[in-house]
Amino acid sequence: MWRVRREVTAAKAAGAVVCLLLAIYFAVAKDWRGVVLAVPAALLLGALALRDVLAPVRLAADEAGLTMVAGFSGRRRVAWGEVTDMQVDVRRRLTSRTELLEIHTEDGLHVFSAFDLGVPCSQALTDLREARDQARRRGMC
């Protein structure tokens, strides 16, 4: 089971509160440009923190398949037989490195970051492959 770390959720919530306080400050100072910037930022960070609270588990694996978050906070069940490929996409640009776990199914692509999983994507991929192999050995897929 892979979930969003609590620290990430707390940082999003704290950012939403800070942006809301800035919006109030800008409104009192009658700086409407600041309000226009701070209010959407507060709403976006608040929505992201709410999603982390409503759906903290982004990906779970068992013998029958995977359960993934779908949409804002829904769940989607995928059998191992429907998973066509799993890989980690690594992108390097200047001084940054980004990893994304890609799970290809018969009807779509599901992408998870290390922030979604709470662990490095390569570790999650290793664990997923092991879970799939165990299911195959037991004849579950």
Side-chain angles (χ1 to χ4, degrees):
M1 177 167 46
W2 295 272
R3 61 185 315 122
V4 177
R5 291 179 39 216
R6 289 185 180 113
E7 296 86 6
V8 174
T9 303
K12 291 175 187 176
V17 170
V18 167
C19 288
L20 184 61
L21 292 173
L22 281 171
I24 293 168
Y25 171 78
F26 289 136
V28 169
K30 299 198 188 304
D31 180 1
W32 304 117
R33 288 176 288 191
V35 172
V36 167
L37 291 173
V39 168
L43 292 174
L44 177 64
L45 286 170
L48 291 173
L50 179 63
R51 180 179 191 230
D52 290 352
V53 170
L54 295 176
V57 176
R58 297 291 204 253
L59 179 64
D62 59 24
E63 290 183 352
L66 300 172
T67 303
M68 299 178 268
V69 71
F72 187 75
S73 64
R75 299 259 178 249
R76 182 162 185 271
R77 185 79 180 147
V78 177
W80 283 118
E82 296 176 42
V83 176
T84 58
D85 189 26
M86 296 183 293
Q87 65 186 18
V88 173
D89 179 45
V90 178
R91 304 281 170 127
R92 289 180 176 89
R93 182 170 214 140
L94 299 175
T95 61
S96 67
R97 182 175 188 268
T98 305
E99 283 189 358
L100 294 174
L101 173 64
E102 296 180 350
I103 300 175
H104 300 263
T105 61
E106 292 176 352
D107 62 346
L109 171 66
H110 306 274
V111 181
F112 302 93
S113 71
F115 290 109
D116 289 322
L117 303 171
V119 297
C121 294
S122 54
Q123 179 184 344
L125 178 62
T126 301
D127 295 342
L128 282 171
R129 286 182 174 159
E130 184 178 310
R132 182 181 61 187
D133 292 344
Q134 285 180 357
R136 284 183 177 161
R137 282 193 295 271
R138 293 182 187 196
M140 298 295 289
C141 55

